[in-house]
Amino acid sequence: EKAMLQLESKVKERTHALNKQKLLIEEQNQEIKDSITYAKRIQEAILPPIQTINEIFPKSFVLYQPKDIVAGDFYWMERSKDLINFAVADCTGHGVPGAMVSIVCHNALNRSVREHKCTEPSAILDNTRKLVIDSLSKNKMDVKDGMDISLISYEPKKMNISFAGANNGLYLIRNNELTNYKSDRQPIGIFEDQKPFNQQNIDLKKGDVIYLFTDGFADQFGGEKGKKLKTSNFKKLLLEIHQLSMKEQKEKLQESFKNWRDDIEQIDDLCIVGIRF
C-alpha cells in the first residue's frame, strides 16, 4: 500500500510538472505568434494600398497570399512625374527571414527611384542590386540572399510600358495569345556572372492584359500525383480566364490554387498581379 501511495504521489508530481511545462510552451508560442503578427502589420504598411493601385489601374487585381504570417513576396509601386513604376518581387525564403530580406529590398527600390532618380526599369534594377549587395554584405559576411523581380514603368499618356526582370518574367495576353517577356537569368543579389539588366519596351493596345507574378503558383505541389503545377499549366489557366473581369480572375486563381493543392500545404508565398489596359 505504501508503494502504491508513493507511485500515486510521483504520478501527481510528474503530471503537475508536465502541465507547468505545457503552459510555459503555450505562453512562449503565443508570444512568438503575437510578435510575428505585429511584424505582419509593419510589413503590410510598406505595401501600396489597393485603393491607390485601383485608382491608377482601374482594371486590376492583386492576389497576395503569404505561406506564413509574414512573407518574402511583396508588391511595390512608386509614382514619379508621368511615370508609374510597379513591381512584384520574391525575396529569398519566406516567413520571418524572407520578410526581413523583403524590407531591405523594398527600401533599396525606394532609394533607387527617390534618391538616385532612376526612371528606367533596367537602371532601377542595376541600382537596387548595388544597394542590396551593399546592405547585405556590410560586415564582410556575404549573405547570399536577394530577390527575383518583375518591374514595369508605365506612361499612361503613351500607352506604353517598359519591362525589366530578374529571374521573373511578364506575360501579356492579346487576341487570345500569350507572349512571355523573359527576364534576365540573374537575381538582385550576389551572383558570379553579373551583367547589366536588359529592358524591353512594349506598346500596348486597348484590352491587353499583363500579369506579373512570383513562382509560388507554378511551384505548388498538388493534383492527383502530388506534382508541381508548372508554368505551362499556369499559362493555360491565364488564357482560359483572361477575358473575365479582374475580380473574377482573382477568384478563379484562388479557387484553382486551393483545388490543386487540396490538403498539401502551401509551399511558398503567392503573389500575382493582373492589369488590363
Side-chain angles (χ1 to χ4, degrees):
E1 198 171 304
K2 196 179 173 191
M4 276 298 284
L5 285 169
Q6 276 179 327
L7 187 65
E8 264 183 39
S9 149
K10 270 193 175 166
V11 169
K12 272 184 184 168
E13 265 177 50
R14 190 82 189 101
T15 309
H16 181 67
L18 282 170
N19 282 339
K20 212 171 164 185
Q21 238 176 339
K22 186 171 170 275
L23 276 171
L24 191 67
I25 290 166
E26 279 172 3
E27 265 177 41
Q28 286 172 336
N29 263 349
Q30 195 52 50
E31 276 176 23
I32 293 165
K33 204 167 178 195
D34 287 348
S35 72
I36 295 173
T37 305
Y38 192 77
K40 181 189 185 191
R41 284 171 59 186
I42 296 168
Q43 196 178 28
E44 282 176 349
I46 68 167
L47 297 172
I50 296 294
Q51 199 183 334
T52 312
I53 296 172
N54 288 337
E55 281 166 21
I56 293 167
F57 302 113
K59 292 178 182 171
S60 64
F61 71 80
V62 175
L63 170 50
Y64 183 63
Q65 197 173 303
K67 171 191 168 5
D68 304 302
I69 299 169
V70 284
D73 282 13
F74 67 92
Y75 48 98
W76 170 83
M77 186 166 74
E78 186 69 24
R79 292 185 198 183
S80 55
K81 290 182 188 162
D82 302 329
L83 269 186
I84 290 132
N85 296 307
F86 192 91
V88 165
D90 178 359
C91 296
T92 322
H94 40 74
V96 175
M100 290 177 84
V101 179
S102 81
I103 301 289
V104 172
C105 294
H106 184 276
N107 188 33
L109 282 166
N110 281 348
R111 286 185 62 202
S112 295
V113 175
R114 293 173 192 174
E115 279 176 42
H116 300 250
K117 306 292 180 212
C118 301
T119 53
E120 301 281 321
S122 53
I124 295 171
L125 293 192
D126 288 336
N127 198 73
T128 299
R129 173 169 58 191
K130 190 178 171 305
L131 294 174
V132 167
I133 292 171
D134 285 352
S135 298
L136 294 178
S137 52
K138 272 215 167 86
N139 53 4
K140 302 287 177 283
M141 280 175 64
D142 280 351
V143 180
K144 294 281 189 283
D145 289 307
M147 80 173 154
D148 296 338
I149 186 171
S150 310
L151 191 153
I152 60 164
S153 287
Y154 171 54
E155 242 180 304
K157 288 177 188 168
K158 290 190 179 171
M159 272 294 273
N160 176 284
I161 57 173
S162 310
F163 162 73
N167 285 331
N168 281 0
L170 173 145
Y171 294 161
L172 177 139
I173 300 183
R174 175 186 294 168
N175 301 331
N176 289 316
E177 268 181 45
L178 186 146
T179 308
N180 179 8
Y181 289 88
K182 290 185 177 167
S183 61
D184 289 297
R185 305 312 294 161
Q186 54 179 0
I188 302 285
I190 292 166
F191 187 65
E192 273 178 25
D193 191 19
Q194 264 191 28
K195 294 185 173 84
F197 282 94
N198 291 300
Q199 183 167 304
Q200 301 173 69
N201 294 313
I202 306 163
D203 287 322
L204 297 164
K205 292 193 171 164
K206 198 168 162 46
D208 284 353
V209 193
I210 65 160
Y211 298 95
L212 305 171
F213 47 89
T214 60
D215 58 5
F217 200 94
D219 281 355
Q220 179 61 42
F221 291 101
E224 282 170 27
K225 295 175 183 169
K227 290 187 172 176
K228 277 189 181 183
L229 186 125
K230 296 206 296 228
T231 309
S232 53
N233 288 318
F234 179 46
K235 286 182 187 170
K236 213 154 80 182
L237 178 59
L238 291 176
L239 275 166
E240 279 168 23
I241 66 170
H242 79 279
Q243 288 175 334
L244 300 171
S245 74
M246 300 320 269
K247 184 175 175 286
E248 284 173 304
Q249 287 190 47
K250 180 181 174 174
E251 285 163 7
K252 285 276 185 220
L253 285 163
Q254 275 173 315
E255 198 182 303
S256 299
F257 187 73
K258 193 165 174 278
N259 291 343
W260 174 259
R261 72 179 186 86
D262 197 19
D263 54 3
I264 294 177
E265 71 161 329
Q266 184 176 332
I267 63 154
D268 200 359
D269 300 321
L270 184 65
C271 188
I272 304 168
V273 173
I275 302 168
R276 196 192 303 279
F277 293 93

